[in-house]
Amino acid sequence: MDSVRTPDSETAEPGDTSAPDSLGVKVRSAARWSLINTVVMRLGNFATGILLARFALGPAQWGVYGIAQTVLLVLLSANELGVSLAIVRWDGDARRFAPTVLTLATVSSGLLYAALFVSAPTVAGLLDSPDASGVLRVMCLCLVIDGVAQVPAGFLTREFAQGRRMLVDALNFVLSTAVTLVLAFAGWGAMSFAVGAVAGNVAALVGCSLAAPGTLRFGWDPQQARALLKFGLPLAGASLLALAVVNVDTMVVGSTLGQVSLGFYVLAFNMSGWPVRVISEAARRVSFAGFSRLADSPQALAQGFSRALGVLVTGTVPLCVLLGGLAAPVVHLVYGSTWVPAADALPWLMALGLVRIGCELAYDCLVATGQRRSLVLTQGLWVVALVPALIVGARLGGIVGVSQGHVLVAAGLVVPAFLHALGRAGIGLVHIARACAWPFFGGSVMTVVILVAKRVLGDGSPALFVIGAAALACYVVCVLPSRRFLLGSRTAGTV
């Protein structure tokens, strides 16, 4: 697979053709910083969510927030037309085409926000959440801010500068959380999330511009713009479909079951996303750049993908099993009795979270290797199959039926489609099986331990910690045989 090149970058920079050992050091350092960053931020968000759910906001207000967050995330998937990924992926001096990227991203984001501002009441009405109109208009200001921030953030990713990125994210978190908490306890309801998000994104933009100085420079080159749009639009389409996959359920629940049920579902879905966000998000900040450097070597790419998948699955499986198997006592302990109905959907959503981990890593790998057509087809299949499954599930089983529909489509259709696409990129089933075998075995043992222990000890809070500790101990024993593979101590030729 040839590297993607811009019209004005026929030769790569020395920094872009580093020796494999140097690249490995950069990736490991960036991954370490990214994991620390993600864990700290997610723990902070977790604590903030507990405070808000227990003392400030009810299920209906969480439902309004869920609608606004869903619309924002879907729009963010394509607001910069996919051109910002060129900062990470293209060879050559990225500063030569960065001004054109910045102009395209800012203009497209501004136009998208203008369209959203005008249509906000209609969008909120269609989703059976008329109260969300004002929240949508404020929260989606983040579209414009994000469009401007894409270029400096892209340079941080390209340079594996996750230490600096952590400082930027910390600034974002502190300001957005402080504003949200103050306004929520002052009675602003869901609007507190919107104002907090805007404040945090402004802080992140300032932080990114300081961490990557000289990158906020507008410019225009028609030849570069054509090449960027040709590169970015298919990726924007695939990204939009990917975000639709994980957000269409919110729209279905809101329009079919109402705001209260949506509030419970949003809380359960956010809980199921803890492993995805903590582990997968940390990996994705370096995986695309790392896979891009390995794209020209199918064997190295297959080995790199297999090891990355193994690390992700090994870290995610125990979290998914614990939260799924102990859903009701965990929700009661953390959020209180008001939110216990959310626990019914959690086991199914944890299974979905595990599938998402693998699919997101596969997505980054396919983007890096230029398999854009396969991505669009796979994501399109996912959305087309998912919408009717979720509607039927909502009508038959409420939020539990929606969760079951998610898992059925993901495991039955999407995983095989991704496996086929990865096979075309040179990553066979053997590599996937090598990465997943021991973690899945350990997860199965954990499930048995939890089910048996709950029968013996019950599911009260004291028993919760005993059962969790016993299950984790069994998992660690089960995955020990894979430690050499995960640490990379096997020879290059070993799968």
Side-chain angles (χ1 to χ4, degrees):
M1 176 66 191
D2 294 333
S3 297
V4 179
R5 295 184 179 273
T6 68
D8 62 355
S9 60
E10 296 302 321
T11 57
E13 291 181 298
D16 291 333
T17 55
S18 303
D21 289 344
S22 176
L23 174 62
V25 171
K26 287 182 179 181
V27 171
R28 283 192 294 271
S29 175
R32 183 166 55 250
W33 277 110
S34 183
L35 180 60
I36 294 171
N37 179 15
T38 307
V39 169
V40 171
M41 295 303 110
R42 293 309 168 189
L43 286 175
N45 284 324
F46 170 56
T48 303
I50 293 174
L51 287 174
L52 292 172
R54 276 187 171 272
F55 305 112
L57 303 177
Q61 293 168 314
W62 274 95
V64 173
Y65 161 65
I67 288 293
Q69 183 188 44
T70 296
V71 174
L72 174 61
L73 288 175
V74 171
L75 295 179
L76 281 174
S77 67
N79 67 310
E80 38 73 61
L81 304 179
V83 298
S84 65
L85 286 175
I87 298 293
V88 181
R89 181 69 179 92
W90 280 5
D91 290 333
D93 184 2
R95 292 180 182 270
R96 296 184 63 184
F97 55 87
T100 303
V101 173
L102 181 60
T103 301
L104 281 170
T106 303
V107 171
S108 62
S109 298
L111 291 174
L112 191 58
Y113 176 73
L116 182 280
F117 186 91
V118 172
S119 62
T122 303
V123 172
L126 290 173
L127 298 175
D128 198 28
S129 298
D131 296 340
S133 177
V135 179
L136 272 173
R137 284 173 165 167
V138 175
M139 183 172 282
C140 287
L141 282 168
C142 296
L143 281 173
V144 182
I145 303 168
D146 178 80
V148 178
Q150 284 296 315
V151 169
F155 273 96
L156 295 179
T157 300
R158 179 186 180 95
E159 298 165 4
F160 298 99
Q162 291 302 317
R164 281 177 279 167
R165 181 63 183 265
M166 179 175 179
L167 295 177
V168 172
D169 288 345
L171 180 65
N172 182 342
F173 170 76
V174 170
L175 186 57
S176 64
T177 300
V179 171
T180 300
L181 287 174
V182 168
L183 295 182
F185 282 97
W188 284 49
M191 183 63 77
S192 59
F193 287 109
V195 178
V198 172
N201 274 264
V202 171
L205 172 59
V206 173
C208 283
S209 64
L210 294 175
T215 56
L216 283 182
R217 184 166 56 88
F218 290 91
W220 186 255
D221 183 308
Q223 185 181 10
Q224 290 177 352
R226 286 192 294 272
L228 286 165
L229 289 173
K230 182 179 179 181
F231 168 80
L233 286 176
L235 298 180
S239 182
L240 180 61
L241 291 172
L243 263 294
V245 163
V246 294
N247 289 286
V248 70
D249 52 355
T250 302
M251 301 178 185
V252 169
V253 173
S255 60
T256 304
L257 303 176
Q259 289 185 7
V260 174
S261 292
L262 177 59
F264 290 130
Y265 183 81
V266 168
L267 186 82
F269 194 89
N270 287 343
M271 288 184 69
S272 73
W274 291 347
V276 177
R277 294 191 184 103
V278 170
I279 298 175
S280 181
E281 185 176 307
R284 295 192 77 189
R285 289 186 175 180
V286 298
S287 62
F288 177 66
F291 291 148
S292 296
R293 303 301 196 274
L294 299 174
D296 293 329
S297 174
Q299 183 179 6
L301 178 67
Q303 292 173 349
F305 179 86
S306 180
R307 183 161 291 121
L309 180 62
V311 172
L312 286 179
V313 174
T314 300
T316 306
V317 164
L319 298 177
C320 290
V321 173
L322 284 176
L323 287 175
L326 301 171
V330 169
V331 171
H332 186 275
L333 176 66
V334 175
Y335 291 103
S337 58
T338 301
W339 296 93
V340 169
D344 295 336
L346 193 54
W348 295 97
L349 290 174
M350 294 314 308
L352 175 67
L354 186 59
V355 174
R356 285 173 56 198
I357 288 277
C359 291
E360 288 177 357
L361 189 70
Y363 180 98
D364 288 343
C365 183
L366 294 174
V367 171
T369 56
Q371 303 287 324
R372 286 172 283 181
R373 185 171 180 272
S374 295
L375 272 178
V376 172
L377 291 175
T378 301
Q379 299 291 352
L381 170 68
W382 201 341
V383 173
V384 169
L386 187 60
V387 172
L390 295 183
I391 293 174
V392 172
R395 296 190 181 280
L396 294 180
I399 62 173
V400 176
V402 170
S403 307
Q404 292 170 336
H406 248 312
V407 175
L408 177 65
V409 173
L413 290 178
V414 180
V415 169
F418 266 116
L419 291 175
H420 175 71
L422 289 171
R424 294 182 59 189
I427 302 170
L429 290 176
V430 174
H431 297 95
I432 307 298
R434 177 70 183 90
C436 298
W438 288 110
F440 282 4
F441 171 67
S444 301
V445 173
M446 279 188 74
T447 302
V448 173
V449 170
I450 290 174
L451 292 176
V452 172
K454 283 174 66 175
R455 284 183 171 274
V456 175
L457 301 176
D459 57 0
S461 295
L464 179 68
F465 295 100
V466 176
I467 296 171
L472 279 175
C474 292
Y475 179 79
V476 170
V477 172
C478 290
V479 299
L480 278 177
S482 66
R483 65 188 183 280
R484 292 179 60 198
F485 168 72
L486 298 176
L487 295 173
S489 59
R490 289 183 179 270
T491 61
T494 303
V495 176

